[in-house]
Amino acid sequence: MAEETAAAAQELMLDENVEPPAGSAPAKTWPQYLAALTVTLSSLSVGTVLSWTSPALMELQDANATSAPFHVTQDEGSWIGSLLAVGSMVGSLPAGRVAQVVGRRPALLGLALPLAASWVVILAAGGAATLYCARLLAGLAVGGISAVAPVYIAEIAHSSVRGTLGSFFQLMITIGVLYTYCVGAAAPYHALAGACLAPVVVFCVAFFFMPETPSHLLTKGRRRDAVRALLRLRGAQYDYRDEIALLQAEVDESSRRKASVRDVLRSPAARRGLLLSLGLMAIQQLSGINAVVFYTSTIFKEAGSSLSPSAAAIVVGVVMAAATLASSLLMDRLGRRALLLLSTAVMAVALAVLGLHIHLALQGIGWLPLVCVCVYIVVFSLGMGPVPWLMMGELFNPEAKSIASAASVFTNYLLVFVITKTFEPMSSALGTAVVYWIYAGLCAAGAVFVFFLVPETKGKTMQQIQEMLATGKTS
């Protein structure tokens, strides 16, 4: 293997007349951090889209709100919120394939167009039907960004910082949520939409100057450009030869295999990777995160909190952002498995206790639901929030990424739609306590899934991860 790597590196230099650097410096990390932060400005925009309904619908459904351009019913508001998930399911399906054909960078820049257009439509909207169109349009972009941005990060990151950088996707979503909650607490309808449009513009300008991923450039036969991109991401004095040769070997192996669904499923590593990615996305949503966050204000109110709904939302946003930031610092220290196991186990306990409090209608301990919700959100943000997105970018070979990432994102947003639309009917039929117990049981099942099936990918190269998947090992 060492001889093949050295030969590939030598062939690269001879074919392209690219000389190795005079010195042999370790890879710099700050260019990778810069690229990851820049690309995740798109996920910050995703966070604004996801959270816009919270302050906006409060205004649109308030008949006394003079700043609202029109008013909507509760049923219309429900569709305004849930149609985003429908658009995201549709947008996720072609996004991976488009990114494979045109590149990760052009695909992400292109997805900014429907995202920006959705905010323009919201600014000009004159009724609920127009908002339906805007939310579907935003969903197309959200689904595409969710499929492509984690892959971009995984392909530009060195294995030593891939966990930290991969967690930026969820971190920036939570920052986008907090940003929207803070602006929405003070700004009227049109000002809020304008504030949400601003991050899209900043992303387009900043990301325009970022490089394409070396892996994608190699798949297109642009090896000189791949070397240049790698040196931009690792530093001009980085000895790129071993890494570029390994990437070239992966690309050459991928080019010998077709990327149809049938061919992907024939590979043991791809099958297991797809199972793991779909499983983690399912656990993330079946944990009930959207239902808990959506009804946080109600829980605060029932617990006797004096916080206003907007203040309660800001508190939740701060907690989520802080916990996700902590996760980014721990990802390459504790590892993915540890954070996932901690997250699912503690979430199960928090939801079980919350359900018990509601079922028994306990008096005198109104602080207990607040503690349960805060603990639940903290541990979700540490593990089940960021890790599924990170591992979606880690688990697949280049030929499987477009299919597998599309399937993973589609599954995620399908379950977002299911959970948000079924929570109230289930609560009415079974009782809110029973619904929380169901979510607790699903979290416990998720912990079992992680313990027996999910491998530890911390510090592993893509090749090592594929070998683990092929053999069924978890460490």
Side-chain angles (χ1 to χ4, degrees), residues 220-234:
K220 298 301 180 182
R222 298 167 58 186
R223 294 192 291 179
R224 179 186 292 272
D225 291 334
V227 170
R228 289 173 175 167
L230 194 63
L231 290 177
R232 282 189 64 185
L233 294 164
R234 306 288 190 266

Side-chain angles (χ1 to χ4, degrees), residues 100 257-275 396-405 407 466:
Q100 187 174 349
R257 297 194 295 261
K258 295 181 180 179
S260 68
V261 175
R262 185 182 219 177
D263 291 322
V264 166
L265 294 179
R266 283 177 179 171
S267 165
R271 282 200 306 269
R272 187 170 180 230
L274 185 59
L275 168 67
F396 305 109
N397 270 331
E399 79 278 2
K401 279 184 180 178
S402 62
I403 295 170
S405 61
Q466 291 304 304

